[in-house]
Amino acid sequence: MYGFEAMTFNIHGGYLEAIVRGHRSGLLTAADYNNLCQCETLDDIKMHLSATEYGHYLQNEPSPLHTTTIVEKCTLKLVDEYKHMLCQATEPLSTFLEYITYGHMIDNVVLIVTGTLHERDVNELLEKCHPLGMFDSIATLAVAQNMRELYRLVLVDTPLAPYFSECITSEDLDDMNIEIMRNTLYKAYLEDFYMFCKKLGGATAEIMSDLLSFEADRRAVNITINSIGTELTRDDRRKLYSSFGLLYPYGHEELAVCEDIDQVRGAMEKYPPYQSIFAKMSYGESQMLDKAFYEEEVKRLCLAFEQQFHYGVFFAYMRLREQEIRNLMWISECVAQNQKSRVHDSVVFIF
Amino acid sequence: MYWKNILGVVQNKRTWCNLSKISMENEEENQPISEEIVLQFLDSTDNYITLMESLSSSLRQGWLELASARLSMGTSRVTSTLFDLNMHPAVTTLQVAPLDGESLSQDIMGRQSRFSLRKWASFNEERCSKDTEASEDLQMESNQQLHRHGSHHISANRSHASLSEEPAEARLASSESLTTIDEQVNKERSKSLSVFGTLVSPKLRAAQLSFETAMETLVEIANMRSLMLSAYAQIQQDKDKTQ
């Protein structure tokens, strides 16, 4: 029951909540980002990051550095922290932590299948997979010819198996089917995660419902914008939207028929939380939409830490770290391309 | 590469100075080198420099948009690991044709060549070739009136400017056909991007457009360079005759 977590939460979750709050204090601040934005080369970035928690991971990297190297090493840090928390967690926190990685698992599955379709080497593809989404039989994905085989040979023994019920067909895997598979899997995963959090109840259910609803709504907007001008039909588009969130169901009906960004704006401005997001953009423009959504997400994730005795802090921390890694990637790209004037186009300050 | 371009510009400017001297000397001797050829050389040099700046701008914009797309879609979706290694026919080809009857010199450097880009080869070839010829004609007209631009949207501005000069009826007909062509071209563009997935971010599409503009600019640079070298060869030839 909501309100009584204070009596029992610390028995099993107190240590890890303290750990994750400690990790949170290590997130880069606005001062750190200002220093990084002044860097002239990637080696300068490495030098500035050596004073942060990333220093240990980057110190042995030889020059010249590459942007992907910085991202890989920073991601490695996140993976180490996650694995430490996972091995210390008991149920239901361990299941909750595993849910956080299913999104990466889906991305890895799609990467392997797409790369195999394009006749790429499996080992090369495995190197590009996100470490949080790895599972034992992932390399076997390369032998599947259609979704039925994909499920039967590999995915039936993975946590993604329950999400495949809506996309098992005997159709051959092509670019469109893979895209629909990706979004259908992610939809099923989000809905399952949402129901799991609801079952946990209490502060976890309340906070995670808000965060996952925002995620579902953002995905709906991105699917709509990305599918404008493509062969994806309105019905197929509607099927990819999640069955929860602020936009469900009436907002989804409006988004499904949108043909340009201004119509999307018209549909979204009816909802106050998203009115402020679209107010930051001019008509016909969608370039700053990603940043606006990331800023709103960061605001909500930071608010999760204002309350104790719930699992939302773990989800919030993982997402904030991923945002930090995105920031570092963008800063590195701007420095590497000598376009420092554009660095503030996509950096989202967390503190 | 950038410094080589600067060196080329400096060398072109020195050549311009030499040509000015040659022109003055020949004026004094009452045997001027054709001023038209000198002007052609100077114009083509000016256009060449402008096009190089435009190319640099397009490429910088394209790379930044690609990085932005990678940020938006994720590093696992925008990566060279997904490139298709299957054999496909080339979507875009470059055609090189010597301009017969216009070359005044048998020297290879002096013979002017015409480069043209044939885009979206899987698209209706007849319609594509008509549009390519029409767009090449428009580009040739506007090249002669090219002013300095810093932006990479030269080709878009050019097509809009040229359309406004046509009669109203022809404009209606051409705009309708252009709309159909635009739809087909957009389909071909989406097909090219499908290697990254079918639902890609608008930023990736913007990057594609930037690189496409850069490719067109490269072809224009090649044509301009060919014109420049041809004019220079003619001037050298005239100079040798007067000497």
Side-chain angles (χ1 to χ4, degrees):
Chain A
M1 190 195 307
Y2 189 25
F4 290 95
E5 292 95 354
M7 294 168 62
T8 56
F9 184 89
N10 279 344
I11 297 169
H12 296 290
Y15 167 68
L16 284 176
E17 184 178 351
I19 290 286
V20 83
R21 285 182 183 273
H23 285 324
R24 174 190 175 263
S25 65
L27 289 167
L28 298 179
T29 61
D32 292 320
Y33 285 121
N34 284 333
N35 288 336
L36 288 168
C37 292
Q38 305 292 327
C39 293
E40 294 289 331
T41 64
L42 294 182
D43 286 321
D44 288 345
I45 289 179
K46 175 183 162 186
M47 188 187 70
H48 277 95
L49 287 178
S50 64
T52 68
E53 294 181 357
Y54 293 111
H56 175 67
Y57 291 85
L58 285 170
Q59 64 185 9
N60 293 327
E61 289 305 310
S63 296
L65 267 184
H66 200 269
T67 310
T68 50
T69 309
I70 293 176
V71 172
E72 276 171 22
K73 295 305 169 187
C74 294
T75 306
L76 212 59
K77 177 188 178 312
L78 175 62
V79 171
D80 287 345
E81 289 173 352
Y82 171 80
K83 284 182 177 171
H84 172 255
M85 289 192 292
L86 184 64
C87 72
Q88 300 283 340
T90 57
E91 285 293 339
L93 178 56
S94 54
T95 301
F96 182 90
L97 289 174
E98 284 169 359
Y99 264 105
I100 296 175
T101 63
Y102 291 171
H104 294 298
M105 218 177 270
I106 292 169
D107 289 338
N108 288 349
V109 167
V110 173
L111 174 68
I112 299 283
V113 169
T114 306
T116 306
L117 190 70
H118 298 159
E119 298 199 1
R120 302 304 298 250
D121 182 47
V122 172
N123 292 324
E124 203 180 350
L125 296 168
L126 288 173
E127 282 175 15
K128 289 292 179 184
C129 288
H130 197 288
L132 282 178
M134 297 298 279
F135 52 93
D136 291 335
S137 52
I138 191 170
T140 326
L141 287 167
V143 303
Q145 298 295 320
N146 56 50
M147 291 184 211
R148 200 175 292 276
E149 282 185 13
L150 204 64
Y151 174 78
R152 188 173 59 83
L153 293 175
V154 187
L155 296 173
V156 65
D157 294 322
T158 67
L160 300 181
Y163 309 145
F164 253 77
S165 59
E166 291 184 33
C167 38
I168 294 180
T169 64
S170 297
E171 288 180 21
D172 281 347
L173 294 163
D174 62 19
D175 290 324
M176 179 56 90
N177 290 340
I178 290 172
E179 192 69 40
I180 291 177
M181 179 182 79
R182 180 210 305 274
N183 287 287
T184 307
L185 283 176
Y186 207 93
K187 172 193 167 183
Y189 151 63
L190 269 186
E191 289 172 355
D192 189 33
F193 196 7
Y194 183 79
M195 294 312 297
F196 175 77
C197 293
K198 281 283 191 193
K199 277 185 206 164
L200 290 175
T204 300
E206 184 184 343
I207 290 165
M208 285 304 298
S209 295
D210 177 61
L211 295 175
L212 292 177
S213 295
F214 180 79
E215 175 71 16
D217 292 341
R218 182 175 61 176
R219 280 192 68 83
V221 172
N222 283 337
I223 286 169
T224 307
I225 291 174
N226 293 347
S227 61
I228 289 171
T230 66
E231 294 172 354
L232 194 71
T233 62
R234 289 178 179 181
D235 286 337
D236 285 341
R237 189 196 281 181
R238 196 180 289 113
K239 283 180 198 168
L240 299 180
Y241 299 148
S242 299
S243 306
F244 67 99
L246 189 61
L247 298 178
Y248 174 79
Y250 304 111
H252 289 170
E253 290 300 322
E254 289 190 49
L255 284 177
V257 298
C258 288
E259 297 294 337
D260 58 48
I261 186 69
D262 289 329
Q263 289 179 15
V264 172
R265 173 196 286 270
M268 296 296 289
E269 279 182 340
K270 294 172 187 165
Y271 298 88
Y274 304 121
Q275 194 178 16
S276 58
I277 290 174
F278 281 84
K280 295 178 188 175
M281 295 164 20
S282 53
Y283 280 91
E285 182 214 345
S286 64
Q287 300 290 329
M288 303 305 290
L289 185 61
D290 282 333
K291 184 180 178 186
F293 269 115
Y294 283 138
E295 282 174 344
E296 180 66 22
E297 184 189 24
V298 162
K299 209 184 301 179
R300 293 176 186 226
L301 292 170
C302 288
L303 282 175
F305 285 91
E306 298 300 315
Q307 210 168 335
Q308 271 188 284
F309 313 126
H310 64 90
Y311 295 158
V313 288
F314 299 98
F315 178 84
Y317 172 70
M318 295 294 289
R319 285 299 173 96
L320 285 173
R321 271 292 181 199
E322 286 171 2
Q323 179 60 48
E324 186 174 272
I325 292 171
R326 275 195 294 272
N327 287 343
L328 289 173
M329 181 175 80
W330 179 251
I331 293 171
S332 303
E333 284 285 352
C334 288
V335 166
Q337 294 184 25
N338 199 20
Q339 300 235 38
K340 288 199 310 184
S341 58
R342 304 290 297 272
V343 74
H344 291 288
D345 284 3
S346 294
V347 170
V348 177
F349 295 114
I350 296 172
F351 298 118
Chain B
M1 179 69 183
Y2 175 75
W3 290 109
K4 283 183 184 172
N5 293 339
I6 294 292
L7 190 60
V9 168
V10 169
Q11 287 172 344
N12 285 335
K13 286 187 176 169
R14 282 187 192 153
T15 310
W16 178 77
C17 292
N18 291 337
L19 285 171
S20 300
K21 285 183 190 171
I22 292 166
S23 178
M24 285 168 60
E25 286 168 0
N26 286 323
E27 277 180 11
E28 290 168 359
E29 296 171 358
N30 292 322
Q31 293 182 350
I33 295 172
S34 168
E35 287 185 359
E36 187 185 341
I37 296 174
V38 173
L39 281 172
Q40 187 182 8
F41 174 78
L42 295 175
D43 275 341
S44 58
T45 306
D46 182 54
N47 293 340
Y48 179 84
I49 294 167
T50 305
L51 285 170
M52 290 296 285
E53 287 172 3
S54 172
L55 175 68
S56 173
S57 174
S58 300
L59 287 174
R60 279 168 65 82
Q61 182 72 16
W63 284 116
L64 193 71
E65 281 162 352
L66 187 63
S68 185
R70 193 181 291 125
L71 189 80
S72 173
M73 293 169 61
T75 50
S76 64
R77 289 195 64 187
V78 183
T79 169
S80 57
T81 317
L82 288 174
F83 287 166
D84 197 341
L85 294 184
N86 293 318
M87 293 297 290
H88 294 286
V91 173
T92 299
T93 55
L94 178 71
Q95 295 186 329
V96 183
L99 290 174
D100 294 327
E102 290 193 18
S103 57
L104 302 178
S105 168
Q106 294 301 313
D107 184 14
I108 291 172
M109 289 298 286
R111 184 169 303 155
Q112 189 177 346
S113 299
R114 180 92 190 116
F115 300 93
S116 60
L117 207 60
R118 195 165 290 269
K119 295 198 293 186
W120 314 121
S122 59
F123 178 35
N124 185 339
E125 196 155 354
E126 285 183 5
R127 185 175 295 177
C128 185
S129 62
K130 281 181 193 171
D131 295 329
T132 308
E133 285 170 7
S135 63
E136 282 170 7
D137 290 337
L138 291 173
Q139 283 173 4
M140 278 299 290
E141 286 173 11
S142 57
N143 274 344
Q144 293 168 2
Q145 302 168 8
L146 189 65
H147 297 291
R148 285 191 179 276
H149 291 286
S151 163
H152 64 276
H153 293 297
I154 286 176
S155 56
N157 292 337
R158 204 176 292 145
S159 61
H160 285 304
S162 60
L163 279 174
S164 64
E165 294 169 3
E166 297 172 359
E169 289 178 1
R171 208 184 314 155
L172 268 174
S174 65
S175 66
E176 280 173 8
S177 64
L178 276 173
T179 307
T180 313
I181 290 164
D182 281 344
E183 284 170 4
Q184 295 283 349
V185 167
N186 284 336
K187 272 188 192 169
E188 294 295 324
R189 285 196 179 115
S190 296
K191 202 170 152 189
S192 295
L193 280 183
S194 63
V195 68
F196 299 113
T198 47
L199 301 182
V200 296
S201 164
K203 293 175 183 176
L204 195 64
R205 296 184 204 278
Q208 184 185 38
L209 282 176
S210 293
F211 287 124
E212 204 177 305
T213 304
M215 205 160 52
E216 290 164 2
T217 310
L218 273 170
V219 172
E220 287 178 43
I221 285 173
N223 285 328
M224 200 55 60
R225 184 180 166 85
S226 176
L227 187 67
M228 200 166 68
L229 290 173
S230 169
Y232 184 70
Q234 283 181 267
I235 291 165
Q236 283 292 95
Q237 194 181 21
D238 287 346
K239 179 190 164 193
D240 292 339
K241 278 182 190 170
T242 54
Q243 286 178 353

